[in-house]
Amino acid sequence: MAKVLKGKEVADKIKAGMKLSIEELKKEGRTPLLTIVRLGNNAGDVSYEKSIVKACEAAGIKSRVIERETTMTTEKLEGLMQELNADSEVSGILLFRPLPKHIDEERIRTSVSPDKDVDCMHPLNLERIFEGRMDGFSPCTPKAAVEILVHNQVPLEGRNVVVVNRSMVVGKPLVMMLLEKNATVTICHSRTKNLKELCSKADVVVTALGKAKFFTEDFFNDDSIVIDVGVSMSEDGKLSGDVDYDSVAEKVSMITPVPGGVGSVTTTILLNQVVLAELKK
Ligand code: NAP
């Protein structure tokens, strides 16, 4: 039976460090403030927003939600970003994406101040990751996956890691973070021909497909370490990861659960970046 890599342990450790920083800021009369910008009422965004607001409250971080119509123009959204950049009270900005199709996402990504870009959408912050500089803001999900591996002392140097995802929010930045840890990384996607073989030969497999229970036990070996980033609904209407957890956990050496794994660290990483943004002001 695999060791279960619970996200809570990792999140609690990050929260402990964050608490000290928040106390220090308080002595100077400062409280970090996260501003969330949401266009429309996408159920997934609203639910994620609620959990962030709740987590902010629990951590002693102020939060503010700005809700706008999906019909908002690029110019208006750009103007809003500039207002928030200029607002000295705002420490960090989180804009829910994907944006409506008519909005010029490239223009919006560059309109947020890199110093308030706690979700790492500005090309300058992403560029830092691709240059191997990990001291700035990171995309929260890949950072959460790496923090789980580091917290559980999974050796990465020289190990073979397969990442099944090539998106800019998960796979590509994750590959850069793993390279920084001197892992040998293989990136897989929907056109990869021998996925099962590549996964089964790897030391660590990170899955982020969004297809419930896609990865069955024959994708892994007895020593596999499995980090499941995917979140979707399985046929029985329950939240599920990409991995067929019950059977795979019987076989591999370590595995993250869904829920309770990567997702439970992601929000804490975001909050930590809000505190860092306030500290750097
Ligand atoms: P995405 O852009 O749709 O990426 C999915 C990736 O999976 C793509 O690279 C795609 O390949 C690949 N893929 C799809 N089917 C495949 C197959 N049969 N074999 C191999 N590769 C395949 O999604 P995303 O935004 O990166 O998110 C991925 C998952 O992570 C989703 O379940 C999302 O809910 C979850 N997520 C979790 C968190 C968290 O905090 N836990 C945060 C963000 C996202 P192509 O590039 O060839 O299409």
Side-chain angles (χ1 to χ4, degrees):
M1 188 69 189
K3 175 182 175 188
V4 181
L5 308 180
K6 289 192 180 135
K8 187 178 180 306
E9 277 178 25
V10 187
D12 285 348
K13 192 172 150 202
I14 300 167
K15 280 179 193 164
M18 210 162 77
K19 193 170 170 232
L20 296 177
S21 302
I22 293 172
E23 279 164 8
E24 282 308 306
L25 285 166
K26 218 171 213 168
K27 285 182 196 157
E28 296 172 25
R30 294 159 66 193
T31 306
L33 167 63
L34 171 66
T35 298
I36 301 168
V37 180
R38 171 167 50 82
L39 269 51
N41 277 309
N42 175 286
D45 289 351
V46 174
S47 145
Y48 185 37
E49 177 186 293
K50 276 189 188 153
S51 69
I52 297 171
V53 168
K54 208 169 139 195
C56 280
E57 263 172 39
I61 295 171
K62 284 192 282 186
S63 64
R64 183 200 289 167
V65 175
I66 299 178
E67 186 186 340
R68 293 285 186 271
E69 298 292 327
T70 48
T71 50
M72 191 178 201
T73 62
T74 300
E75 290 68 28
K76 284 255 166 68
L77 185 55
E78 196 174 35
L80 174 61
M81 289 297 144
Q82 281 156 2
E83 262 176 49
L84 297 173
N85 292 342
D87 185 338
S88 59
E89 220 198 314
V90 175
S91 323
I93 302 166
L94 169 67
L95 169 67
F96 282 120
R97 289 176 296 158
L99 294 166
K101 288 218 161 53
H102 68 276
I103 290 189
D104 182 346
E105 188 155 332
E106 207 49 38
R107 241 171 95 180
I108 299 304
R109 284 172 63 209
T110 48
S111 68
V112 61
S113 159
D115 297 332
K116 298 190 177 189
D117 177 31
V118 290
D119 196 32
C120 199
M121 70 171 183
H122 196 293
L124 270 181
N125 284 326
L126 275 171
E127 189 187 307
R128 290 170 67 92
I129 303 284
F130 281 75
E131 282 174 351
R133 292 154 66 198
M134 302 294 159
D135 55 334
F137 299 128
S138 304
C140 300
T141 304
K143 173 97 172 159
V146 172
E147 289 292 329
I148 290 176
L149 289 167
V150 170
H151 176 82
N152 288 285
Q153 295 169 346
V154 172
L156 290 169
E157 182 152 334
R159 313 274 313 274
N160 291 321
V161 182
V162 163
V163 174
V164 193
N165 181 296
R166 58 172 162 178
S167 75
M168 274 307 278
V169 280
V170 184
K172 285 177 182 157
L174 176 59
V175 167
M176 295 302 132
M177 293 175 192
L178 291 165
L179 284 178
E180 198 46 31
K181 302 276 181 207
N182 295 319
T184 304
V185 192
T186 305
I187 186 158
C188 299
H189 46 78
S190 65
R191 312 289 172 92
T192 300
K193 296 249 184 283
N194 48 346
L195 184 65
K196 201 174 272 186
E197 189 191 344
L198 289 166
C199 289
S200 64
K201 286 187 175 157
D203 300 304
V204 179
V205 180
V206 184
T207 65
L209 253 72
K211 293 186 179 169
K213 303 187 181 187
F214 179 93
F215 291 88
T216 44
E217 59 181 303
D218 45 340
F219 277 83
F220 306 104
N221 63 62
D222 294 354
D223 297 320
S224 298
I225 295 166
V226 184
I227 307 292
D228 191 352
V229 175
V231 185
S232 49
M233 286 294 172
S234 62
E235 278 173 8
D236 54 11
K238 287 190 185 145
L239 206 62
S240 168
D242 288 339
V243 176
D244 187 6
Y245 184 87
D246 291 338
S247 67
V248 173
E250 289 287 334
K251 179 176 189 178
V252 301
S253 71
M254 297 186 196
I255 188 166
T256 56
V258 177
V262 177
S264 49
V265 183
T266 306
T267 308
T268 311
I269 302 272
L270 174 74
L271 266 51
N272 196 40
Q273 300 200 139
V274 176
V275 176
L276 291 179
E278 182 59 33
L279 283 170
K280 283 187 185 167
K281 261 194 201 161

